[in-house]
Amino acid sequence: MSAAPSPVMPTYGRLPIALSHGLGCRVWDTEGREYLDALAGIAVNTLGHGHPRLVPALQDQVAKLIHTSNYYQAPLQEKLAAKLVELSGLTNVFFCNSGLEANEGALKIARKFGHQRGFDNPETMVFEGAFHGRSLATLSATANPKIQEGFAPLVPGFVRAPLNDLAKVEALLDAHPQISAIFLETIQGEGGINPARIEFLQGLRRLCDTRNLLLMLDEVQCGIGRTGKWFAHQWAGIQPDVMPLAKGLGSGVPVGAIVCGPRAAGVLTAGNHGTTFGGNPLAMRAGVETLAIMEADGLCAHAGAMGERLQAALKEGLAGVAGVKEIRGQGLMLGIELERPCGVLLTRALESRLLISVTAERVVRLLPPLIASAAEVDDIAGRLIPLIKTFCAEAPQ
Protein backbone atom coordinates (compact mmCIF):
# COMPACT_ATOMS: atom_id res chain seq x y z
CA MET A 1 0.00 0.00 0.00
CA SER A 2 1.58 3.26 -1.12
CA ALA A 3 1.84 6.23 1.20
CA ALA A 4 -0.55 9.11 0.70
CA PRO A 5 1.00 12.02 -1.23
CA SER A 6 2.40 14.77 0.94
CA PRO A 7 0.35 17.95 1.21
CA VAL A 8 3.66 19.87 0.97
CA MET A 9 4.54 20.97 -2.58
CA PRO A 10 7.39 18.77 -3.93
CA THR A 11 9.97 21.53 -4.49
CA TYR A 12 12.80 19.92 -2.48
CA GLY A 13 14.71 16.67 -2.78
CA ARG A 14 14.75 15.92 0.94
CA LEU A 15 17.15 13.64 2.79
CA PRO A 16 15.59 10.80 4.83
CA ILE A 17 15.84 12.33 8.32
CA ALA A 18 13.83 14.88 10.30
CA LEU A 19 15.66 17.01 12.85
CA SER A 20 14.04 17.63 16.21
CA HIS A 21 16.44 19.77 18.28
CA GLY A 22 19.98 21.07 18.53
CA LEU A 23 22.58 22.45 20.89
CA GLY A 24 25.68 24.32 19.77
CA CYS A 25 27.04 22.59 16.66
CA ARG A 26 25.09 19.37 17.26
CA VAL A 27 21.58 18.40 16.16
CA TRP A 28 19.45 15.33 16.81
CA ASP A 29 16.89 13.67 14.58
CA THR A 30 13.50 12.33 15.60
CA GLU A 31 15.05 8.89 16.09
CA GLY A 32 17.53 10.25 18.63
CA ARG A 33 20.62 10.13 16.39
CA GLU A 34 23.19 12.90 16.87
CA TYR A 35 24.82 14.80 13.97
CA LEU A 36 27.65 17.32 13.69
CA ASP A 37 26.32 20.38 11.84
CA ALA A 38 28.73 21.62 9.17
CA LEU A 39 26.01 23.46 7.24
CA ALA A 40 24.31 25.77 9.79
CA GLY A 41 21.08 25.79 7.81
CA ILE A 42 23.06 27.03 4.77
CA ALA A 43 25.05 29.74 6.58
CA VAL A 44 22.05 30.82 8.68
CA ASN A 45 22.64 29.54 12.22
CA THR A 46 25.51 31.88 13.02
CA LEU A 47 25.36 31.10 16.75
CA GLY A 48 24.57 27.43 16.31
CA HIS A 49 21.54 25.95 18.04
CA GLY A 50 20.02 26.86 21.40
CA HIS A 51 22.51 29.62 22.16
CA PRO A 52 22.27 30.46 25.89
CA ARG A 53 22.08 34.22 25.29
CA LEU A 54 20.04 34.31 22.10
CA VAL A 55 17.23 32.00 23.26
CA PRO A 56 16.17 34.02 26.34
CA ALA A 57 16.38 37.26 24.37
CA LEU A 58 14.00 35.88 21.73
CA GLN A 59 11.70 34.46 24.39
CA ASP A 60 11.58 37.88 26.01
CA GLN A 61 10.74 39.53 22.68
CA VAL A 62 8.04 36.99 21.79
CA ALA A 63 6.34 37.74 25.10
CA LYS A 64 6.43 41.48 24.40
CA LEU A 65 5.80 42.06 20.69
CA ILE A 66 6.31 39.87 17.62
CA HIS A 67 4.87 42.02 14.83
CA THR A 68 3.20 45.35 14.30
CA SER A 69 3.67 47.03 10.91
CA ASN A 70 5.82 49.70 9.36
CA TYR A 71 3.14 52.33 10.01
CA TYR A 72 4.83 53.07 13.32
CA GLN A 73 8.20 54.10 14.69
CA ALA A 74 10.52 51.09 15.04
CA PRO A 75 13.19 51.51 17.73
CA LEU A 76 14.72 48.07 17.15
CA GLN A 77 15.06 48.84 13.43
CA GLU A 78 16.91 52.01 14.35
CA LYS A 79 19.20 50.07 16.69
CA LEU A 80 20.05 47.30 14.22
CA ALA A 81 20.46 49.75 11.33
CA ALA A 82 22.83 51.89 13.39
CA LYS A 83 24.98 48.84 14.15
CA LEU A 84 25.10 47.76 10.49
CA VAL A 85 26.04 51.31 9.46
CA GLU A 86 28.79 51.33 12.11
CA LEU A 87 30.21 47.96 11.03
CA SER A 88 30.05 48.67 7.29
CA GLY A 89 30.83 52.39 7.13
CA LEU A 90 27.76 52.84 4.92
CA THR A 91 24.78 55.17 5.33
CA ASN A 92 21.35 53.59 5.81
CA VAL A 93 19.41 50.31 5.76
CA PHE A 94 16.13 48.87 4.48
CA PHE A 95 14.93 45.73 6.28
CA CYS A 96 13.12 42.84 4.61
CA ASN A 97 12.75 39.07 5.18
CA SER A 98 15.25 37.21 3.03
CA GLY A 99 18.23 37.34 0.72
CA LEU A 100 15.98 37.14 -2.32
CA GLU A 101 14.07 40.20 -1.15
CA ALA A 102 17.28 42.07 -0.38
CA ASN A 103 18.61 41.30 -3.86
CA GLU A 104 15.30 42.20 -5.50
CA GLY A 105 15.40 45.55 -3.70
CA ALA A 106 18.98 46.10 -4.82
CA LEU A 107 17.91 45.54 -8.43
CA LYS A 108 15.13 48.11 -8.00
CA ILE A 109 17.71 50.57 -6.70
CA ALA A 110 19.88 49.90 -9.75
CA ARG A 111 16.96 50.51 -12.12
CA LYS A 112 15.86 53.74 -10.45
CA PHE A 113 19.43 55.00 -10.23
CA GLY A 114 19.75 54.45 -13.98
CA HIS A 115 16.53 56.34 -14.67
CA GLN A 116 17.77 59.19 -12.49
CA ARG A 117 20.83 59.32 -14.74
CA GLY A 118 18.57 59.66 -17.76
CA PHE A 119 18.80 56.09 -19.08
CA ASP A 120 15.71 54.84 -20.95
CA ASN A 121 16.53 51.18 -20.38
CA PRO A 122 18.96 50.79 -17.48
CA GLU A 123 20.93 47.54 -17.39
CA THR A 124 22.76 45.72 -14.60
CA MET A 125 25.97 43.78 -15.08
CA VAL A 126 25.88 40.33 -13.47
CA PHE A 127 28.32 37.41 -13.57
CA GLU A 128 28.79 33.84 -14.71
CA GLY A 129 28.29 31.42 -11.82
CA ALA A 130 26.03 33.83 -9.92
CA PHE A 131 23.04 32.94 -7.77
CA HIS A 132 20.87 35.79 -6.47
CA GLY A 133 17.50 34.13 -5.82
CA ARG A 134 14.41 32.60 -7.39
CA SER A 135 12.02 35.49 -8.02
CA LEU A 136 11.70 36.39 -11.69
CA ALA A 137 14.16 39.28 -11.47
CA THR A 138 16.74 37.52 -9.28
CA LEU A 139 16.31 34.34 -11.32
CA SER A 140 17.14 36.38 -14.41
CA ALA A 141 20.24 37.77 -12.71
CA THR A 142 21.29 34.24 -11.74
CA ALA A 143 23.52 32.21 -14.08
CA ASN A 144 21.95 28.76 -13.80
CA PRO A 145 19.98 27.49 -16.81
CA LYS A 146 18.56 24.58 -14.77
CA ILE A 147 16.69 26.82 -12.34
CA GLN A 148 15.68 29.23 -15.12
CA GLU A 149 14.14 26.44 -17.24
CA GLY A 150 10.38 26.72 -17.53
CA PHE A 151 10.19 30.34 -16.38
CA ALA A 152 10.76 32.24 -19.64
CA PRO A 153 10.45 34.98 -20.61
CA LEU A 154 13.13 36.13 -18.20
CA VAL A 155 13.33 39.74 -17.05
CA PRO A 156 15.45 41.77 -19.49
CA GLY A 157 18.10 44.27 -18.54
CA PHE A 158 21.03 42.06 -17.53
CA VAL A 159 24.49 41.89 -19.12
CA ARG A 160 26.58 38.90 -18.04
CA ALA A 161 30.35 38.97 -17.59
CA PRO A 162 32.99 36.41 -16.55
CA LEU A 163 34.09 36.61 -12.92
CA ASN A 164 37.57 38.00 -12.23
CA ASP A 165 38.11 39.35 -15.76
CA LEU A 166 38.36 43.14 -15.43
CA ALA A 167 39.26 43.71 -19.08
CA LYS A 168 36.06 41.95 -20.20
CA VAL A 169 34.05 44.01 -17.71
CA GLU A 170 35.44 47.24 -19.18
CA ALA A 171 34.70 46.08 -22.72
CA LEU A 172 31.11 45.25 -21.81
CA LEU A 173 30.66 48.60 -20.09
CA ASP A 174 31.83 50.32 -23.26
CA ALA A 175 29.44 48.20 -25.35
CA HIS A 176 26.46 48.78 -23.03
CA PRO A 177 26.39 52.48 -22.10
CA GLN A 178 23.13 52.14 -20.13
CA ILE A 179 24.60 49.84 -17.48
CA SER A 180 23.88 51.57 -14.18
CA ALA A 181 25.18 48.98 -11.70
CA ILE A 182 27.60 46.06 -11.30
CA PHE A 183 26.12 43.29 -9.15
CA LEU A 184 28.01 40.28 -7.82
CA GLU A 185 28.50 37.98 -4.86
CA THR A 186 31.77 38.72 -3.09
CA ILE A 187 32.12 34.94 -2.82
CA GLN A 188 29.74 32.91 -4.97
CA GLY A 189 27.96 30.40 -2.74
CA GLU A 190 25.56 28.29 -4.80
CA GLY A 191 27.91 28.66 -7.76
CA GLY A 192 30.60 26.61 -5.99
CA ILE A 193 32.43 28.83 -3.44
CA ASN A 194 34.10 31.01 -6.08
CA PRO A 195 35.71 34.13 -4.60
CA ALA A 196 35.98 37.42 -6.45
CA ARG A 197 39.70 38.20 -6.28
CA ILE A 198 40.80 41.18 -4.22
CA GLU A 199 42.32 43.00 -7.20
CA PHE A 200 39.13 42.37 -9.20
CA LEU A 201 36.96 43.90 -6.48
CA GLN A 202 39.29 46.88 -6.23
CA GLY A 203 39.16 47.29 -10.00
CA LEU A 204 35.35 47.20 -10.00
CA ARG A 205 35.31 49.88 -7.30
CA ARG A 206 37.52 52.12 -9.46
CA LEU A 207 35.37 51.56 -12.54
CA CYS A 208 32.17 52.37 -10.66
CA ASP A 209 33.68 55.55 -9.27
CA THR A 210 35.02 56.65 -12.66
CA ARG A 211 31.77 55.92 -14.51
CA ASN A 212 29.26 56.85 -11.77
CA LEU A 213 27.87 53.31 -11.43
CA LEU A 214 26.61 51.46 -8.37
CA LEU A 215 28.81 48.65 -7.05
CA MET A 216 26.36 46.18 -5.49
CA LEU A 217 27.91 43.33 -3.51
CA ASP A 218 25.65 40.42 -2.55
CA GLU A 219 26.86 39.35 0.92
CA VAL A 220 23.79 37.24 1.71
CA GLN A 221 25.85 34.08 2.26
CA CYS A 222 29.39 35.36 2.79
CA GLY A 223 28.60 38.28 5.12
CA ILE A 224 28.02 38.52 8.89
CA GLY A 225 31.48 37.35 9.95
CA ARG A 226 31.59 34.15 7.95
CA THR A 227 34.94 34.86 6.26
CA GLY A 228 36.67 36.30 9.33
CA LYS A 229 35.60 39.92 8.77
CA TRP A 230 32.13 41.36 9.19
CA PHE A 231 31.73 41.49 5.41
CA ALA A 232 33.79 39.61 2.84
CA HIS A 233 34.53 42.71 0.73
CA GLN A 234 36.42 44.20 3.68
CA TRP A 235 39.35 41.93 2.81
CA ALA A 236 39.74 44.08 -0.34
CA GLY A 237 39.65 47.36 1.61
CA ILE A 238 36.67 48.70 -0.35
CA GLN A 239 33.06 49.67 0.31
CA PRO A 240 30.08 48.87 -1.92
CA ASP A 241 27.28 51.28 -2.76
CA VAL A 242 24.64 48.61 -2.08
CA MET A 243 25.06 45.49 0.08
CA PRO A 244 22.25 42.91 0.40
CA LEU A 245 22.42 40.82 3.60
CA ALA A 246 20.33 38.00 5.10
CA LYS A 247 21.02 34.40 6.23
CA GLY A 248 23.29 34.74 9.29
CA LEU A 249 21.99 38.15 10.37
CA GLY A 250 19.20 36.68 12.53
CA SER A 251 20.76 33.35 13.57
CA GLY A 252 17.73 31.48 12.22
CA VAL A 253 15.04 34.15 12.46
CA PRO A 254 14.32 35.43 8.92
CA VAL A 255 15.99 38.82 8.42
CA GLY A 256 17.10 40.53 5.23
CA ALA A 257 18.67 43.93 4.78
CA ILE A 258 19.81 46.29 2.03
CA VAL A 259 22.65 48.45 3.32
CA CYS A 260 23.42 51.49 1.15
CA GLY A 261 26.28 53.97 0.89
CA PRO A 262 25.99 57.65 -0.05
CA ARG A 263 25.59 57.09 -3.80
CA ALA A 264 22.55 54.85 -3.30
CA ALA A 265 21.18 55.92 0.09
CA GLY A 266 18.63 58.38 -1.30
CA VAL A 267 17.46 56.45 -4.36
CA LEU A 268 14.42 54.82 -2.73
CA THR A 269 11.96 57.27 -1.20
CA ALA A 270 8.51 57.02 0.40
CA GLY A 271 6.25 54.81 -1.69
CA ASN A 272 9.05 53.28 -3.79
CA HIS A 273 9.42 50.09 -1.76
CA GLY A 274 7.91 48.36 1.26
CA THR A 275 7.23 45.16 3.16
CA THR A 276 4.64 43.76 5.55
CA PHE A 277 6.84 41.53 7.72
CA GLY A 278 10.24 43.11 7.14
CA GLY A 279 11.83 44.75 10.16
CA ASN A 280 9.31 43.40 12.67
CA PRO A 281 10.30 43.45 16.36
CA LEU A 282 11.18 39.75 16.60
CA ALA A 283 13.41 39.83 13.54
CA MET A 284 15.12 43.01 14.67
CA ARG A 285 15.73 41.66 18.18
CA ALA A 286 17.32 38.57 16.60
CA GLY A 287 19.62 40.76 14.52
CA VAL A 288 20.56 43.05 17.39
CA GLU A 289 21.34 40.12 19.71
CA THR A 290 23.24 38.19 17.02
CA LEU A 291 25.62 41.07 16.31
CA ALA A 292 26.05 41.85 20.00
CA ILE A 293 26.97 38.25 20.83
CA MET A 294 29.30 38.02 17.86
CA GLU A 295 31.07 41.20 18.92
CA ALA A 296 31.30 40.20 22.60
CA ASP A 297 32.69 36.76 21.76
CA GLY A 298 35.03 37.85 18.96
CA LEU A 299 33.36 35.50 16.50
CA CYS A 300 34.72 37.19 13.35
CA ALA A 301 38.31 36.49 14.35
CA HIS A 302 37.29 33.06 15.64
CA ALA A 303 35.64 32.17 12.31
CA GLY A 304 38.79 33.22 10.49
CA ALA A 305 41.02 31.10 12.73
CA MET A 306 38.74 28.05 12.63
CA GLY A 307 38.42 28.37 8.85
CA GLU A 308 42.20 28.36 8.48
CA ARG A 309 42.41 25.30 10.71
CA LEU A 310 39.70 23.43 8.81
CA GLN A 311 41.12 24.32 5.40
CA ALA A 312 44.62 23.23 6.47
CA ALA A 313 43.28 19.89 7.74
CA LEU A 314 41.37 19.29 4.51
CA LYS A 315 44.38 20.16 2.35
CA GLU A 316 46.64 17.88 4.37
CA GLY A 317 44.16 15.01 4.46
CA LEU A 318 43.29 15.21 0.76
CA ALA A 319 46.76 16.03 -0.59
CA GLY A 320 47.52 13.99 -3.68
CA VAL A 321 44.05 12.41 -3.84
CA ALA A 322 43.14 11.88 -7.48
CA GLY A 323 39.75 13.41 -8.17
CA VAL A 324 40.11 16.38 -5.81
CA LYS A 325 40.51 19.50 -7.97
CA GLU A 326 40.67 22.36 -5.46
CA ILE A 327 39.95 23.36 -1.87
CA ARG A 328 39.01 27.03 -1.65
CA GLY A 329 37.11 29.67 0.25
CA GLN A 330 37.72 31.81 3.31
CA GLY A 331 36.88 31.53 6.97
CA LEU A 332 34.04 29.10 7.59
CA MET A 333 32.87 29.20 3.97
CA LEU A 334 34.79 26.44 2.23
CA GLY A 335 34.35 24.37 -0.92
CA ILE A 336 36.04 21.14 -2.03
CA GLU A 337 35.71 20.78 -5.80
CA LEU A 338 35.82 17.23 -7.13
CA GLU A 339 36.23 16.08 -10.71
CA ARG A 340 32.76 14.59 -11.01
CA PRO A 341 29.27 15.10 -9.54
CA CYS A 342 29.23 14.06 -5.91
CA GLY A 343 25.64 14.38 -4.69
CA VAL A 344 25.88 10.88 -3.21
CA LEU A 345 28.12 12.34 -0.49
CA LEU A 346 25.07 13.98 1.10
CA THR A 347 23.62 10.64 2.19
CA ARG A 348 27.02 9.14 2.96
CA ALA A 349 27.78 12.08 5.23
CA LEU A 350 24.47 11.48 7.04
CA GLU A 351 25.58 7.91 7.68
CA SER A 352 28.72 9.39 9.27
CA ARG A 353 26.46 11.73 11.29
CA LEU A 354 27.64 14.86 9.45
CA LEU A 355 25.51 17.58 7.81
CA ILE A 356 27.07 19.08 4.67
CA SER A 357 25.96 20.46 1.31
CA VAL A 358 26.87 19.76 -2.30
CA THR A 359 26.53 22.69 -4.68
CA ALA A 360 27.27 23.20 -8.37
CA GLU A 361 27.07 19.38 -8.59
CA ARG A 362 30.78 18.84 -7.84
CA VAL A 363 31.56 21.04 -4.83
CA VAL A 364 31.27 19.88 -1.22
CA ARG A 365 30.26 23.02 0.69
CA LEU A 366 31.04 23.56 4.37
CA LEU A 367 29.35 26.37 6.34
CA PRO A 368 29.58 25.48 10.05
CA PRO A 369 28.19 27.74 12.78
CA LEU A 370 30.66 30.49 13.67
CA ILE A 371 30.85 29.13 17.22
CA ALA A 372 32.49 25.88 16.04
CA SER A 373 35.41 24.91 18.29
CA ALA A 374 38.82 23.63 17.24
CA ALA A 375 37.76 20.11 18.29
CA GLU A 376 34.60 20.40 16.20
CA VAL A 377 36.33 21.58 13.02
CA ASP A 378 38.85 18.77 13.48
CA ASP A 379 35.90 16.39 13.82
CA ILE A 380 34.35 17.74 10.59
CA ALA A 381 37.59 17.09 8.72
CA GLY A 382 37.99 13.68 10.36
CA ARG A 383 34.54 12.53 9.24
CA LEU A 384 34.62 14.09 5.76
CA ILE A 385 38.10 13.21 4.49
CA PRO A 386 37.54 9.41 4.45
CA LEU A 387 34.23 9.87 2.63
CA ILE A 388 35.86 11.95 -0.11
CA LYS A 389 38.80 9.54 -0.42
CA THR A 390 36.44 6.59 -0.81
CA PHE A 391 34.30 8.44 -3.33
CA CYS A 392 37.28 9.50 -5.43
CA ALA A 393 38.66 5.95 -5.45
CA GLU A 394 35.45 4.53 -6.87
CA ALA A 395 34.83 4.04 -10.57
CA PRO A 396 32.44 6.67 -11.97
CA GLN A 397 28.87 5.43 -12.09
Side-chain angles (χ1 to χ4, degrees):
M1 187 175 184
S2 61
S6 171
V8 176
M9 200 173 289
T11 54
Y12 304 105
R14 299 187 192 271
L15 294 166
I17 64 167
L19 301 176
S20 67
H21 63 285
L23 186 64
C25 293
R26 311 278 166 168
V27 291
W28 287 261
D29 68 16
T30 52
E31 304 299 317
R33 293 171 295 216
E34 179 184 322
Y35 301 82
L36 179 58
D37 187 358
L39 185 58
I42 315 180
V44 168
N45 297 313
T46 300
L47 303 177
H49 306 275
H51 193 281
R53 277 171 282 165
L54 180 66
V55 169
L58 296 183
Q59 290 171 330
D60 174 71
Q61 189 61 49
V62 166
K64 288 178 176 175
L65 202 59
I66 295 175
H67 177 78
T68 56
S69 83
N70 283 302
Y71 285 163
Y72 315 112
Q73 299 295 315
L76 284 170
Q77 284 190 26
E78 297 286 341
K79 187 172 183 178
L80 182 54
K83 191 63 184 178
L84 290 171
V85 164
E86 175 195 328
L87 296 174
S88 66
L90 300 180
T91 305
N92 61 14
V93 185
F94 175 88
F95 289 111
C96 51
N97 306 287
S98 67
L100 179 153
E101 290 181 31
N103 285 335
E104 185 87 16
L107 292 172
K108 286 181 69 174
I109 290 171
R111 286 278 180 97
K112 191 176 181 205
F113 180 77
H115 283 294
Q116 288 175 342
R117 290 193 56 194
F119 298 164
D120 294 327
N121 294 292
E123 295 181 300
T124 298
M125 179 178 288
V126 292
F127 289 83
E128 295 170 4
F131 181 91
H132 296 295
R134 296 176 184 271
S135 67
L136 282 175
T138 57
L139 184 75
S140 302
T142 289
N144 187 331
K146 287 186 177 180
I147 69 168
Q148 291 175 339
E149 186 177 351
F151 298 104
L154 298 177
V155 175
F158 295 102
V159 176
R160 198 167 304 282
L163 189 67
N164 292 319
D165 187 339
L166 199 61
K168 184 63 173 177
V169 166
E170 290 195 75
L172 286 169
L173 290 174
D174 290 339
H176 295 265
Q178 295 210 30
I179 288 175
S180 61
I182 297 177
F183 187 34
L184 71 156
E185 298 153 276
T186 317
I187 301 175
Q188 292 179 342
E190 302 301 322
I193 315 297
N194 303 310
R197 291 197 295 265
I198 284 176
E199 60 272 20
F200 182 67
L201 291 170
Q202 292 169 340
L204 293 181
R205 181 68 276 174
R206 288 192 298 270
L207 284 174
C208 288
D209 288 341
T210 301
R211 297 176 183 242
N212 190 26
L213 311 176
L214 297 180
L215 178 59
M216 308 200 308
L217 295 180
D218 176 347
E219 295 250 358
V220 167
Q221 190 167 140
C222 61
I224 314 299
R226 183 145 292 278
T227 66
K229 290 188 182 290
W230 285 106
F231 311 108
H233 67 264
Q234 290 173 331
W235 291 101
I238 64 166
Q239 289 181 332
D241 299 300
V242 181
M243 177 174 62
L245 299 171
K247 288 192 181 289
L249 181 54
S251 295
V253 177
V255 188
I258 311 167
V259 189
C260 291
R263 190 172 293 171
V267 172
L268 295 181
T269 57
N272 286 163
H273 202 49
T275 169
T276 296
F277 292 101
N280 74 35
L282 179 60
M284 296 297 93
R285 183 73 181 271
V288 166
E289 298 292 343
T290 294
L291 297 183
I293 293 167
M294 288 180 66
E295 197 164 43
D297 291 356
L299 287 185
C300 286
H302 179 76
M306 291 303 99
E308 289 179 6
R309 185 183 184 99
L310 179 54
Q311 189 165 175
L314 293 169
K315 287 181 175 179
E316 180 181 355
L318 296 171
V321 174
V324 176
K325 289 187 67 175
E326 187 180 14
I327 299 169
R328 58 179 178 260
Q330 194 160 16
L332 290 175
M333 184 176 184
L334 299 177
I336 307 158
E337 184 177 358
L338 307 183
E339 289 183 350
R340 68 180 197 272
C342 57
V344 67
L345 287 174
L346 287 173
T347 53
R348 293 184 186 181
L350 281 186
E351 293 164 3
S352 294
R353 304 291 185 262
L354 180 66
L355 305 186
I356 62 169
S357 170
V358 170
T359 191
E361 295 188 340
R362 301 165 185 256
V363 180
V364 177
R365 176 173 50 169
L366 300 175
L367 300 162
L370 302 194
I371 62 166
S373 67
E376 285 166 333
V377 299
D378 291 347
D379 196 359
I380 291 169
R383 299 188 197 200
L384 183 59
I385 287 167
L387 297 177
I388 292 176
K389 284 183 172 179
T390 298
F391 173 80
C392 289
E394 295 169 348
Q397 298 297 312

